[in-house]
Amino acid sequence: MNELFTILLIAVGLAMDAFSVSVACGTVYKRFHFPHALRLAGIFGFFQFAMPVIGWICGLTVKRYISPYQHWAGFLILTAIGCKMIYEAFKLEETEKKPMAESLPALFTLAVATSIDALAVGLTISLVTSHIWIAVAGIGVVTFMLSFAGFYMGTRFGHMFENKTEIFGGAVLIILGIKMLLH
């Protein structure tokens, strides 16, 4: 049960990037557009699912070498990603000036950009659990749901929550990194 809770927290932490971008994308619309929200959430969820798998595969190749240091590796990776997310939350206003694209190539670019952190987390997951498929499915589903909700919220509330979610997600990952180090 503790492992599932940790996976859920990682999923929520990782999904905050996609949630924030989804809110920003939703602000382009005056009304909620279900098909676009579904497409955006599906693409973001898929990439958040796929990137940890790639990280996990990479992690399996080096696992035996870094296994004695897995707590430190997990701490460093999660803390670095968390700090990066918090840092980017304060730079959000600079990127808001650029128009949010609606095209499929733009959505793929945004999905890759928001899931790069999940690649590194895939390496961490390979160090602490053998339930990679549960973990990545959880990450993908949580990202899908939060991206869909974020798009809806963007159509309703604009940019009110963006940087707060980035800070929250970063803080969650830092706390999980510290927990790994102390465990």
Side-chain angles (χ1 to χ4, degrees):
M1 186 63 167
N2 187 29
E3 191 173 312
L4 287 175
F5 184 68
T6 300
I7 290 169
L8 178 63
L9 286 177
I10 289 172
V12 169
L14 287 174
M16 289 298 114
D17 274 347
F19 175 78
S20 295
V21 171
S22 298
V23 169
C25 287
T27 62
V28 171
Y29 296 93
K30 292 182 181 176
R31 293 179 325 166
F32 179 71
H33 285 98
F34 183 81
H36 190 66
L38 192 61
R39 181 174 58 175
L40 177 138
I43 290 169
F44 282 16
F46 172 76
F47 275 90
Q48 287 283 33
F49 165 84
M51 293 297 242
V53 172
I54 295 168
W56 172 63
I57 291 168
C58 294
L60 289 177
T61 61
V62 297
K63 184 175 181 176
R64 66 176 174 216
Y65 302 112
I66 60 174
S67 183
Y69 312 105
Q70 70 183 17
H71 292 77
W72 280 102
F75 165 74
L76 292 173
I77 290 169
L78 290 175
T79 302
I81 293 169
C83 288
K84 176 181 163 278
M85 287 176 69
I86 291 171
Y87 172 75
E88 288 175 351
F90 292 104
K91 292 184 65 176
L92 193 57
E93 288 181 15
E94 295 173 19
T95 59
E96 284 177 359
K97 295 174 185 167
K98 299 176 186 172
M100 283 291 148
E102 300 176 33
S103 69
L104 207 51
L107 286 178
F108 279 113
T109 302
L110 290 170
V112 170
T114 59
S115 64
I116 293 296
D117 297 344
L119 183 72
V121 169
L123 173 64
T124 304
I125 290 173
S126 74
L127 299 173
V128 297
T129 185
S130 59
H131 304 300
I132 184 68
W133 299 111
I134 293 171
V136 297
I139 291 168
V141 168
V142 166
T143 300
F144 175 87
M145 292 186 320
L146 287 178
S147 296
F148 191 88
F151 186 86
Y152 175 79
M153 290 173 68
T155 62
R156 299 289 182 234
F157 307 111
H159 296 285
M160 199 160 89
F161 298 108
E162 282 178 322
N163 63 345
K164 291 171 184 66
T165 60
E166 290 282 323
I167 293 168
F168 173 75
V172 166
L173 292 179
I174 290 170
I175 290 166
L176 287 173
I178 292 168
K179 179 184 175 230
M180 285 182 71
L181 185 62
L182 299 176
H183 200 274

